[in-house]
Amino acid sequence: MSVLAVVGTPGDRRVTMFADACARYGVREPAVVPWTSVLRGEEIRLEPGTLVRIDSPGEDAEADGLLRGPGEPSRVGGGARWHAAFTAGTARVREAVDRTPGAVLLADVGEIAVMFDKRLCHARLSTAGVPVPPALPGPIGGYAELRRRMDEARWGRVFVKPAHGSSASGVIALHSRGGRVKAVTSADLVSGRLYNSLRVRSYENESDLAAIVDLLAVDGLHVERWFPKASLDGHVIDLRVVVVDGTPTHAVVRVGRSPMTNLHLGGSRGDLGEVRAELGPEGWARALDVCARAAACFPGSLAVGVDLMIGVDWRSLAVAEVNAFGDLLPRLEGLPGSGAEGVDTYGAQVRAILARHAPAEIGNARGEGAIVAGGPVGRGEEEGASPSVSVSPYQGYVYAYPHKTSYRPLDPRPSLREVWAREPHTNLFLYLHIPFCEMRCGFCNLFTRTGAPEELVAAYLDALEHQARAVRDALDDPGFVTAAIGGGTPTYLSAAELTRMFDLTERIMGADLRAVPLSVETSPATATTDRLAVLAERGTTRISIGVQSFIDAEARAAVRPQRREEVEAALGAIREVGFEALNIDLIYGIDGQTETSWRYSLDAALAWKPEEIYLYPLYVRPLTGLGRRAHDWDDHRLALYRQGRDHLLAAGYEQVSMRMFRLPGSVGVAEYRCQSDGMVGLGCGARSYTSRLHYSYEYAVGAGQVRAIIDDYVRLAPEEFDVANVGFRLGEDERRRRHLIQSLLQAEGLDLTSYRERFGVEVMAGFREELERLAERGWLEGDALAAEEAAGAGWLRLTPEGLAHSDAIGPALFSGRVRELMAGYEER
Ligand code: SF4
């Protein structure tokens, strides 16, 4: 883990609370880069590899003076100067990060600047279709102009907001009726100057009001039509929802006696349960979705606070503002199902940072990606290290080569017809990607989003239909020999939606799914009888279910809250429907997991006699227990791996790869030769493979960006599906490398004869050095190298220990070019 630094005010609550959250997760206390020194233009020095968080200057008087110029801190105004100085400061931080090797800015300074300009923020939200109250077009030079514009728009009630800054400072709720005006504001007019007051006051004297508006107009105004807000027990309410990494994790109800509900103005926290009950489950889901969509307008920001207004009808919703530093909500725990249960807003952010910057992660979907941290393992961490030098066995799950982080925009974008022109159109693998899940598992960094509303699912299926048509046209008459539907969780779709998905695959793609092995992923909560019936009826032969652990507490620790009864019921339903093959995914390395509890989960899985079992190492390190020290955690995982492997082998399973175990003679499982067969991916998270080009849509890690990519995908015009967008072109060397990696990481190994037949050279010709290093470590079977040299025949195979180190061997075989591209990938 890199070091963290926070640009903030030393001793400020935001800084100390974030540092406390870091300590809870075992992360070194972040260094503080004082805002005052940034604003004075002093040199910003960062350690290489620092992850830099930008926080608010808080209420520091000195920083305030540097931002707004000299004057009393309690005065209102100076917003334009504040914004200019603040933006210049964040730009300096950006420059410092850019010139520090390996440093990463955990924020987007351009987005912060937009959030601190209510006019720009409103325009951005409105363009993205996020509900916002209508606004008067600017600029508005003063009170006279404001009144004239209100009359033209026939608006009797408006909110007048200073263009810059956050919170209620200077905001006026203005009501004009029959020639009379009344305003409510926290601004206090004293001797021709404006001051912030903690008390909300009313003005009915028009000349006072005009003076206030004229003073505020100097720094720019943003005027929105009044949005009548819902109330509870006679008090107006709205919500502050914190969205961390794209997921709404925390919500607080703000209650006020005036239209201003801000907590520092005497507003108080209300009862969220009551608000949820009034909204109903569907209304609550819509409210969270609006917040997530608002946050998705700022995909480079790790966390934002969305102020959501609920209308008096308890149906209409509108975003009042998006706050770059809206996360200061002490003692507030995460929403159930958000993945942030039991942690505050800062804890959720630290966890998101750890998840993004942990070395790698697990993945359970075949056609879409988990980030893989490659590294020049070679002889170990050091050049010339002896075989006894230990290398972490867990560097990255390489289930596809090259990883999507090495894909780049294709310019010009080739047509699919061109891409597939010289490729075989038979023996293809069809992969459909459904990027939706009912909740976000704590260990997941896959391309998926939670809480997708029905309309989005429908729009996604529309887009799949357009894409299927484009692919079918480009490939003329593709022949599929196997198919899979992954995610996400494909069974997030209802039975009717699944039916539509199968219809479009068969009707438009022309894929006869009943004639080929078809695998579908599911989850305990969504493996319902009606959905399973559709899957069976449409030819599904293999069902894969992510259980992870049969112990509820372990499932919770992995942030996949589920109950054992639910898991057993799902497995029972799957067996009852009667698919040819069942796969169960389990995870080892969970906080608190022991050899006994691991054995318990293995046996609970074996009780269902699944045709396949996948054992995944956990990749997001728990920072308690054995996870506190990376080395101990590696040893622990390796021990659990060996235990799991031996247990399954003793139960009659054969090992197919480090993760996969299969009952001999199983039918219904897909036999896809990914080394040489082509793959057609449908969906914005799926990739497609030809022999010379791997391509897909944009790739992202952060949930906010994932949402944005899905939203873009569903809005694509039908003709936009005729081209490949981002990708990686494989030359001869990369094709050989891919063949080597994909074969060697299987227990069966690499067939030397077929390698020579395919490429016309011996594998040693290109990879002697790498293979010798593996042999030195005892990771290649006995005399495989010698035999290969002598006869160029037989199989190149990993030893059991080599297989156990697959996640170190895979990344070690990456080419320099792929490593460079992966390292240069800007994480989103
Ligand atoms: S179900 Fe799978 S894809 Fe969905 S959040 Fe969990 S691990 Fe990720």
Side-chain angles (χ1 to χ4, degrees):
M1 176 75 197
S2 315
V3 288
L4 274 165
V6 177
V7 180
T9 294
D12 183 77
R13 270 196 306 168
R14 295 168 180 279
V15 170
T16 55
M17 285 172 66
F18 184 72
D20 289 347
C22 287
R24 283 198 294 279
Y25 284 89
V27 175
R28 205 170 96 187
E29 185 174 346
V32 182
V33 179
W35 259 114
T36 45
S37 99
V38 173
L39 295 169
R40 278 196 293 264
E42 291 166 10
E43 190 188 349
I44 302 169
R45 283 206 205 106
L46 301 167
E47 271 185 53
T50 305
L51 308 177
V52 181
R53 168 183 171 84
I54 299 182
D55 212 328
S56 164
E59 280 148 30
D60 182 54
E62 192 184 347
D64 186 65
L66 290 162
L67 287 162
R68 288 197 294 165
E72 291 160 79
S74 62
R75 73 197 187 283
V76 176
R81 180 177 163 163
W82 184 99
H83 192 261
F86 185 75
T87 306
T90 56
R92 297 194 59 245
V93 175
R94 164 91 263 173
E95 284 159 20
V97 169
D98 287 347
R99 64 173 179 266
T100 307
V104 175
L105 188 56
L106 302 169
D108 182 315
V109 298
E111 290 182 3
I112 296 176
V114 170
M115 282 185 264
F116 276 105
D117 187 322
K118 292 191 173 67
R119 300 160 299 189
L120 298 179
C121 185
H122 181 276
R124 183 175 287 203
L125 294 171
S126 171
T127 308
V130 176
V132 283
L136 291 179
I140 291 171
Y143 184 73
E145 191 171 0
L146 170 68
R147 294 301 310 277
R148 184 169 52 74
R149 295 281 195 83
M150 283 174 65
D151 288 346
E152 283 165 9
R154 295 173 187 265
W155 291 356
R157 287 183 167 206
V158 291
F159 268 99
V160 182
K161 303 178 178 184
H164 304 290
S166 62
S167 80
S169 173
V171 174
I172 305 169
L174 192 152
H175 184 184
S176 131
R177 195 162 157 209
R180 293 182 57 193
V181 282
K182 182 175 174 189
V184 175
T185 177
S186 63
D188 201 358
L189 184 65
V190 182
S191 313
R193 290 187 174 194
L194 281 179
Y195 293 88
N196 271 316
S197 162
L198 285 180
R199 202 163 55 80
V200 175
R201 55 186 61 217
S202 295
Y203 288 88
E204 296 195 23
N205 177 327
E206 190 159 17
S207 62
D208 282 351
L209 185 53
I212 294 174
V213 173
D214 287 344
L215 283 169
L216 294 174
V218 174
D219 288 308
L221 293 177
H222 172 66
V223 181
E224 283 176 359
R225 186 174 180 177
W226 182 64
F227 181 92
K229 290 198 267 190
S231 52
L232 278 175
D233 302 326
H235 294 142
V236 177
I237 59 124
D238 63 17
L239 297 177
R240 160 67 59 88
V241 177
V242 179
V243 182
V244 178
D245 203 16
T247 301
T249 54
H250 295 75
V252 69
V253 183
R254 306 185 306 178
V255 181
R257 287 177 195 282
S258 76
M260 265 67 115
T261 50
N262 298 60
L263 300 176
H264 71 276
L265 289 177
S268 56
R269 285 189 189 181
D271 182 347
L272 187 63
E274 247 184 289
V275 171
R276 288 183 66 163
E278 286 288 341
L279 284 168
E282 190 266 340
W284 174 244
R286 270 192 319 113
L288 292 189
D289 186 58
V290 166
C291 295
R293 280 164 50 208
C297 294
F298 303 95
S301 303
L302 182 67
V304 296
V306 179
D307 289 350
L308 183 73
M309 302 187 286
I310 301 167
V312 279
D313 56 359
W314 286 93
R315 275 204 56 75
S316 42
L317 302 167
V319 172
E321 74 177 70
V322 182
N323 193 319
F325 306 128
D327 53 1
L328 180 63
L329 295 167
R331 298 177 306 283
L332 185 69
E333 292 196 350
L335 294 165
S338 68
E341 298 88 340
V343 293
D344 66 6
T345 56
Y346 293 105
Q349 289 175 72
V350 172
R351 235 171 36 187
I353 294 168
L354 286 170
R356 279 194 188 194
H357 296 275
E361 66 187 1
I362 72 147
N364 67 354
R366 204 164 184 174
E368 62 94 24
I371 196 162
V372 180
V377 182
R379 290 174 189 273
E381 281 95 354
E382 295 158 35
E383 191 58 23
S386 75
S388 62
V389 171
S390 74
V391 168
S392 169
Y394 304 105
Q395 308 221 3
Y397 177 21
V398 184
Y399 55 84
Y401 177 81
H403 189 259
K404 262 190 182 176
T405 47
S406 62
Y407 290 17
R408 291 293 181 273
L410 299 166
D411 187 15
R413 296 184 298 165
S415 72
L416 296 188
R417 188 163 277 283
E418 221 176 289
V419 168
W420 285 93
R422 288 183 295 135
E423 297 286 329
H425 292 183
T426 51
N427 284 355
L428 294 173
F429 175 22
L430 175 63
Y431 179 77
L432 256 85
H433 183 245
I434 304 295
F436 306 124
C437 288
E438 72 273 19
M439 65 174 145
R440 185 104 190 163
C441 304
F443 48 80
C444 178
N445 240 346
L446 297 176
F447 187 96
T448 188
R449 65 156 283 178
T450 55
E454 231 176 77
E455 310 83 70
L456 180 63
V457 173
Y460 189 77
L461 292 173
D462 289 345
L464 271 184
E465 205 165 309
H466 296 315
Q467 192 184 9
R469 191 162 287 120
V471 174
R472 172 83 200 260
D473 288 351
L475 271 79
D476 291 326
D477 196 12
F480 297 104
V481 290
T482 182
I485 305 169
T489 308
T491 47
Y492 179 81
L493 271 54
S494 66
E497 289 162 343
L498 287 169
T499 301
R500 188 178 162 206
M501 179 194 70
F502 281 113
D503 283 348
L504 77 89
T505 313
E506 290 176 0
R507 201 165 31 79
I508 301 174
M509 280 304 286
D512 185 359
L513 296 177
R514 290 186 181 86
V516 299
L518 167 65
S519 176
V520 181
E521 290 168 8
T522 189
S523 70
T526 59
T528 54
T529 316
D530 59 336
R531 291 174 171 110
L532 294 172
V534 173
L535 301 186
E537 207 271 310
R538 306 307 287 256
T540 305
T541 54
R542 174 184 181 266
I543 284 277
S544 175
I545 182 164
V547 171
Q548 324 312 355
S549 171
F550 280 84
I551 296 173
D552 290 355
E554 285 182 5
R556 268 198 308 281
V559 197
R560 191 197 168 85
Q562 65 192 12
R563 282 171 302 109
R564 174 78 184 269
E565 304 97 85
E566 186 179 54
V567 171
E568 296 290 336
L571 288 164
I574 291 169
R575 279 312 198 195
E576 195 162 323
V577 172
F579 299 94
E580 286 174 18
L582 162 67
N583 171 71
I584 296 179
D585 288 344
L586 296 177
I587 288 186
Y588 54 93
I590 301 171
D591 197 16
Q593 195 174 36
T594 62
E595 287 185 13
T596 311
S597 70
W598 179 224
R599 166 81 184 246
Y600 178 86
S601 278
L602 290 164
D603 284 337
L606 286 173
W608 289 98
K609 298 193 175 46
E611 282 68 24
E612 287 178 356
I613 301 187
Y614 266 80
L615 306 183
Y616 285 99
L618 183 65
Y619 258 106
V620 176
R621 179 150 66 108
L623 292 163
T624 51
L626 281 167
R628 266 200 297 263
R629 285 172 44 158
H631 195 270
D632 291 348
W633 193 46
D634 279 352
D635 289 350
H636 182 55
R637 285 183 291 175
L638 205 48
L640 294 178
Y641 161 77
R642 290 183 179 128
Q643 182 197 349
R645 175 197 61 195
D646 294 348
H647 197 59
L648 295 186
L649 293 178
Y653 284 74
E654 61 189 16
Q655 185 163 20
V656 179
S657 65
M658 173 181 142
R659 287 169 173 76
M660 186 186 184
F661 295 82
R662 184 182 283 161
L663 273 181
S666 297
V667 291
V669 294
E671 285 300 344
Y672 165 64
R673 290 182 26 80
C674 55
Q675 298 94 324
S676 48
D677 296 343
M679 180 161 99
V680 172
L682 292 184
C684 59
R687 354 163 172 215
S688 298
Y689 303 151
T690 69
S691 61
R692 288 178 174 73
L693 179 72
H694 290 185
Y695 64 91
S696 67
Y697 289 89
E698 289 282 341
Y699 174 69
V701 178
Q705 189 65 21
V706 169
R707 279 172 186 260
I709 292 172
I710 296 172
D711 289 349
D712 286 350
Y713 174 78
V714 302
R715 284 193 213 113
L716 286 178
E719 60 278 12
E720 286 285 317
F721 292 100
D722 293 341
V723 291
N725 291 278
V726 298
F728 182 94
R729 291 189 191 280
L730 289 88
E732 186 64 11
D733 171 65
E734 294 293 7
R735 280 202 290 279
R736 289 183 201 163
R737 226 171 244 288
R738 177 164 187 262
H739 190 105
L740 170 68
I741 293 172
Q742 309 272 75
S743 307
L744 200 56
L745 297 185
Q746 301 292 308
E748 182 187 51
L750 173 80
D751 178 352
L752 295 166
T753 310
S754 64
Y755 182 94
R756 192 181 51 245
E757 281 170 8
R758 182 170 178 205
F759 298 109
V761 289
E762 308 296 340
V763 73
M764 285 301 263
F767 303 103
R768 173 178 301 278
E769 212 182 319
E770 285 102 322
L771 293 173
E772 280 177 355
R773 286 176 189 165
L774 298 183
E776 269 175 45
R777 287 187 172 273
W779 289 347
L780 274 188
E781 247 183 26
D783 53 0
L785 286 179
E788 193 274 339
E789 279 210 273
W795 291 78
L796 198 61
R797 222 172 251 133
L798 295 179
T799 58
E801 268 313 275
L803 217 45
H805 287 78
S806 294
D807 286 9
I809 292 171
L813 293 173
F814 290 0
S815 70
R817 176 173 165 241
V818 165
R819 276 197 205 125
E820 246 172 58
L821 285 165
M822 289 175 73
Y825 170 77
E826 279 224 18
E827 191 176 283
R828 289 179 301 172

